[in-house]
Amino acid sequence: MRDLGAGFRYLLEGQRWVARHGKSYGFGLLPGLITLVLYAAALVALALWGEDAVAWATPFADDWASPWAGLFRGFLTAVLFALAMLLAVLTFTAVTLLIGQPFYESLSEQVDRDLSPDGTAPESGLPLWRELWISARDSLRIVARAAVWGVLLFALGFVPVAGQTVVPVIGFFVTGFFLTEELTAVALQRRGVELRDRLALLRSRKTLVWGFGTPLGLAFLVPFVAVFLMPGAVAGATLLARDLRGEENRDRDDDPAGALGAGGDRARP
């Protein structure tokens, strides 16, 4: 329970950090806005032509008696849109981080400098094109894992009682885990931590990860909220990454204005 609270506190501290750094927050909004427009256009197109696509994909139902063909295709259209919405939630962070890689790298580095006792931030030493390639490759791997979980949970949703109670709760925790992985990747990639090691690190502190990512995933379900929370989520994920790595933070005595918030405490060794 303590780690759950700590994870949520990092989420709040990240939002507080960007609120005190207006310029970084403003630049951090741009990638989310671009991604939102792209996703909204895709979902609108699916809503307009999804039924036609389902009808094209199910020619065998053309000769079915009324109303079975309509009910069957209506059900498939609803399933298709529901899967698209789930995939949008699971991939929004990955796509936004990829589009906004330079913005979020800079923001994460600023958080590290604020917290580091010597005012420095870890650097990968890689050229930008290489960082973008690694980010895109790892994001595709995470999206594939998340998609498998999404399909599995969607199928389990048809189980009576459990499908309407237990499965949605599990789904939120799964979403929270993958969201946290994507967000902490910004800070951990700069530290040279590979995807497999990142996943092992996150699994070692699941309650901390859930405390950060699960409420964020719930918030992302509200339209437009993800855009405004993304900069603070990256900042908070940097705080969480420092905790996971056991890195020392600046003392509160060195930060009399309290600008570091809860992150001013020393990280757990």
Side-chain angles (χ1 to χ4, degrees):
M1 292 299 294
R2 180 179 180 181
D3 266 357
L4 279 174
F8 185 65
R9 187 165 63 250
Y10 286 138
L11 179 60
L12 296 180
E13 286 302 323
Q15 302 303 324
R16 289 178 56 191
W17 190 92
V18 295
R20 291 188 296 269
H21 298 77
K23 186 176 181 180
S24 296
Y25 179 66
F27 280 116
L29 289 177
L30 295 177
L33 289 171
I34 295 171
T35 307
L36 179 64
V37 170
L38 294 175
Y39 273 52
L43 290 173
V44 168
L46 184 61
L48 292 175
W49 294 294
E51 188 173 353
D52 293 337
V54 169
W56 172 82
T58 57
F60 56 85
D62 288 343
D63 298 328
W64 288 10
S66 180
W68 302 115
L71 290 174
F72 175 69
R73 285 170 171 167
F75 172 74
L76 290 182
T77 301
V79 169
L80 179 63
F81 195 80
L83 284 174
M85 289 292 292
L86 177 62
L87 191 61
V89 172
L90 291 173
T91 61
F92 183 90
T93 301
V95 175
T96 302
L97 289 174
L98 184 61
I99 293 174
Q101 180 79 11
F103 298 99
Y104 296 136
E105 283 281 354
S106 176
L107 189 154
S108 180
E109 286 180 8
Q110 289 182 54
V111 174
D112 270 324
R113 291 192 186 97
D114 277 356
L115 293 175
S116 176
D118 59 3
T120 62
E123 296 181 3
S124 66
L126 299 174
L128 178 59
W129 72 266
R130 180 65 177 169
E131 290 183 348
L132 289 173
W133 163 250
I134 293 174
S135 178
R137 180 197 65 191
D138 290 350
S139 293
L140 284 175
R141 292 175 177 174
I142 290 299
V143 168
R145 285 179 168 89
V148 170
W149 272 98
V151 172
L152 175 62
L153 291 172
F154 183 80
L156 291 175
F158 291 99
V159 177
V161 183
Q164 293 75 50
T165 54
V166 178
V167 173
V169 174
I170 296 175
F172 284 125
F173 279 101
V174 170
T175 300
F177 181 89
F178 285 119
L179 279 178
T180 305
E181 194 289 325
E182 288 287 353
L183 290 163
T184 54
V186 177
L188 293 176
Q189 282 179 4
R190 283 192 291 107
R191 291 160 167 81
V193 183
E194 296 291 336
L195 175 60
R196 180 176 298 180
D197 296 327
R198 293 202 305 268
L199 289 171
L201 194 60
L202 293 171
R203 291 187 186 112
S204 69
R205 301 280 298 282
K206 288 190 183 73
T207 52
L208 179 69
V209 170
W210 289 333
F212 180 89
T214 302
L216 185 63
L218 288 168
F220 276 14
L221 292 176
V222 182
F224 308 113
V225 166
V227 174
F228 297 101
L229 292 185
M230 272 297 294
V234 172
T238 303
L239 299 175
L240 189 146
R242 293 181 65 88
D243 188 338
L244 290 171
R245 296 274 291 176
E247 296 178 8
E248 187 178 17
N249 291 339
R250 184 183 303 175
D251 286 329
R252 287 184 184 275
D253 292 341
D254 298 329
D255 181 41
L260 302 179
D265 296 329
R266 292 191 179 278
R268 185 181 290 103

